Amino acid sequence: MPLPVVAIVGRPNVGKSTLFNRLVGKRVALVDDRPGVTRDRREGDAELLGLKFRVMDTAGFEDEDAQSLPGRMRVQTEAAVEAADVALFVIDAREGLTPLDEEIARWLRGSKTPVILAANKAEGRAGEAGRMEAYALGMGEPFALSAEHGEGLVDLFEAIRPFVEREEDEAAEPDDGEERPLGPLKLAIVGRPNAGKSTLVNKMLGEDRMITGPEAGITRDSISIDWQWQGRDVTLVDTAGLRKRAKIDDKLEKLSAADTRRAIDMAEVVVLLLDATRGLEAQDLKIADQVIEEGRALIIALNKWDVAEHASSLFNGVKAALEEGLSQLKGVYVLTVSGKTGKGIDQLINAAFELRDAWSMRVGTGELNRWFARAIEANPPPAPGGKRIKLRYITQVKSRPPTFVIFGNRVDELPGSYERYLLNSMRRDLKIGPVPLRLNLRASKNPFGSKAQ
């Protein structure tokens, strides 16, 4: 399905091409202080805070004879508006309204295409005065914009969203698991020394690929092995055992530990292997926390389950300790395996693929903001000092791990407890699963210039 179209219209030199360049993310349209630089319609694919659409830069609208060059340019502009889903009428807020602005407004009011009004170059008091003056055009509330500095793009997003957002487009958004094949599952096996990592890898492969033995620390390098599980490609990484840093004296062991940490960073899913005969120790929680901090999907696997004593109480105890010790990520998968017998390996690999899909997912902008509205309604943000924090909307900026940006006012005062509420609600309501999520907060004034909180 073709993308929805936004046509940028206005008299010459109001900043249409500057805005076009910002929306398409590169300098495509020529920009100059002289009016009339743009003559033909120029089109490009644009993305604004998760919304994808086609944008058309049009020639400056001039009231000239249809046979003259400016007149022929105006005909092209009229055709662009007729073909668009919404027209963005741009005025120069610093100059204020002109008779030509009023003429364009009269023409647009007679068009069947919806129109939204933007007051560009709105920096400073003069810009605000020009924006207020634009109410006289009778085209609704004009919003302030600075195409040159990237300000007001939040308001632009909210203005065009009703005309641009389509459920069909959300369904057709690139899904990392379908349209862009993810390739082999990058699966790292980590844990303390002698947890049975190499034995488990050998059982997976069906051969004695890794050296094993009762001595701790046999594996020194991170060993990467290409493998297939039920016809699906896996890159399996066996790593050196991770001990407490205070106990790492040997230079070679320090290098091995650093290599393991690099393996975690390169993995998609990390299996933290525990020795079920020893249970969960503080160092295991530190390794798990490191995996989550790196933004990788995590599975806890209790190895040597075939010889574990008091299995039921051990399993429940580990789960309870994880719930308390990994408060930033609830519901981490806890599975039981045996590197000796192979029991539980299929469930482990299947869970890893499932988590990789969740870790790679993208949520459609419409679905995400409908959830956001429900979450805020159910539990409004606090009001420090009696002034309510206003959260305006949310967008996903990347996956692997899923990363979101919330725009609003006074977001620097939003407590961490409310951020955790939003993340937990998102995991539950959108069925994302127990994978790390990233949430950044940005002030609405200039979303492209703010820093993540």
Side-chain angles (χ1 to χ4, degrees):
M1 175 177 288
L3 289 172
V5 176
V6 177
I8 305 174
V9 298
R11 60 181 174 82
N13 213 31
V14 295
K16 298 185 298 298
S17 294
T18 302
L19 178 59
F20 175 87
N21 286 340
R22 181 166 289 279
L23 291 174
V24 299
K26 51 189 174 182
R27 289 182 64 90
V28 176
L30 295 177
V31 176
D32 192 86
D33 288 337
R34 291 169 297 174
V37 172
T38 301
R39 289 182 171 177
D40 296 300
R41 279 185 282 174
R42 180 175 279 105
E43 300 186 26
D45 289 336
E47 182 171 357
L48 178 61
L49 306 172
L51 285 181
K52 292 180 170 63
F53 53 94
R54 190 88 175 151
V55 63
M56 289 196 290
D57 181 25
T58 66
F61 190 98
E62 297 190 60
D63 191 12
E64 298 284 347
D65 182 79
Q67 299 305 314
S68 66
L69 177 58
R72 296 197 302 275
M73 290 158 54
R74 189 187 72 222
V75 171
Q76 286 291 312
T77 298
E78 291 171 346
V81 170
E82 185 177 352
D85 293 273
V86 61
L88 178 59
F89 178 22
V90 180
I91 68 164
D92 185 333
R94 285 188 303 215
E95 289 191 16
L97 289 187
T98 69
L100 185 53
D101 289 323
E102 294 171 349
E103 173 64 26
I104 297 171
R106 280 192 293 271
W107 162 60
L108 287 173
R109 281 197 298 268
S111 167
K112 295 180 180 179
T113 303
V115 181
I116 52 180
L117 180 59
N120 191 31
K121 308 179 187 179
E123 310 90 334
R125 292 183 179 179
E128 177 60 17
R131 186 184 77 85
M132 298 302 292
E133 189 178 335
Y135 275 97
L137 294 174
M139 308 192 77
E141 181 179 1
F143 64 88
L145 181 67
S146 174
E148 183 176 357
H149 298 105
E151 297 181 3
L153 297 179
V154 170
D155 296 314
L156 174 60
F157 171 92
E158 293 180 341
I160 68 173
R161 187 172 65 176
F163 309 100
V164 169
E165 186 177 83
R166 293 177 180 171
E167 293 298 324
E168 297 87 350
D169 291 338
E170 290 175 16
E173 278 190 19
D175 183 316
D176 289 341
E178 295 178 7
E179 293 187 17
R180 291 197 304 269
L182 289 172
L185 167 67
K186 297 180 180 65
L187 182 66
I189 312 292
V190 306
R192 287 181 284 113
N194 217 26
K197 298 183 294 297
S198 295
T199 301
L200 178 65
V201 170
N202 284 343
K203 196 66 178 180
M204 289 176 173
L205 299 175
E207 60 177 298
D208 291 336
R209 174 67 172 77
M210 309 300 298
I211 300 174
T212 62
E215 304 88 353
I218 291 178
T219 301
R220 284 177 167 171
D221 297 313
S222 294
I223 307 299
S224 177
I225 305 160
D226 291 332
W227 177 53
Q228 273 205 336
W229 174 78
Q230 297 183 2
R232 303 180 74 177
D233 292 330
V234 179
T235 298
L236 199 57
V237 183
D238 184 22
T239 63
L242 286 171
R243 296 200 296 165
K244 293 181 180 178
R245 291 195 179 191
K247 292 185 177 181
I248 301 178
D249 299 319
D250 181 71
K251 180 180 179 181
L252 183 57
E253 191 174 351
K254 288 181 180 179
L255 292 174
S256 295
D259 193 43
T260 296
R261 292 183 176 90
R262 283 193 294 272
I264 291 173
D265 187 50
M266 295 299 292
E268 297 170 325
V269 179
V270 176
V271 175
L272 172 55
L273 202 65
L274 308 184
D275 184 338
T277 65
R278 297 173 60 182
L280 182 71
E281 298 183 7
Q283 179 64 4
D284 296 316
L285 286 174
K286 289 182 179 178
I287 297 171
D289 186 67
Q290 178 187 340
V291 172
I292 295 169
E293 285 299 312
E294 290 293 334
R296 303 299 175 256
L298 173 67
I299 296 174
I300 307 293
L302 292 166
N303 192 26
K304 308 180 186 179
W305 196 247
D306 53 310
V307 295
E309 297 180 357
H310 311 294
S312 179
S313 59
L314 171 64
F315 186 83
N316 292 331
V318 168
K319 289 210 71 169
L322 289 170
E323 285 293 311
E324 182 178 347
L326 297 179
S327 58
Q328 73 272 44
L329 183 60
K330 298 295 186 182
V332 171
Y333 286 177
V334 181
L335 305 175
T336 60
V337 296
S338 170
K340 183 177 180 180
T341 68
K343 183 176 175 60
I345 288 178
D346 282 350
Q347 291 91 330
L348 176 66
I349 305 301
N350 187 62
F353 273 104
E354 181 181 303
L355 277 181
R356 200 263 296 262
D357 288 343
W359 186 71
S360 306
M361 75 179 297
R362 296 194 70 89
V363 184
T365 305
E367 179 185 3
L368 189 59
N369 278 277
R370 287 189 290 274
W371 160 79
F372 191 49
R374 292 193 301 269
I376 291 175
E377 183 179 4
N379 182 16
K387 295 182 179 179
R388 176 72 66 186
I389 296 172
K390 185 177 181 182
L391 304 181
R392 304 181 70 177
Y393 75 96
I394 185 172
T395 187
Q396 183 174 359
V397 293
K398 66 183 290 288
S399 58
R400 304 165 63 82
T403 302
F404 304 88
V405 177
I406 290 177
F407 294 91
N409 299 329
R410 305 176 69 229
V411 292
D412 57 325
E413 300 181 44
L414 194 70
S417 59
Y418 195 81
E419 291 183 48
R420 288 191 294 274
Y421 156 72
L422 290 173
L423 288 173
N424 291 333
S425 174
M426 185 186 300
R427 281 197 186 92
R428 182 189 66 244
D429 297 344
L430 299 179
K431 297 179 174 56
I432 294 177
V435 295
L437 303 179
R438 298 286 183 261
L439 185 61
N440 298 318
L441 304 173
R442 295 189 184 177
S444 294
K445 182 179 180 182
N446 185 359
F448 286 84
S450 301
K451 292 183 179 179
Q453 302 294 318

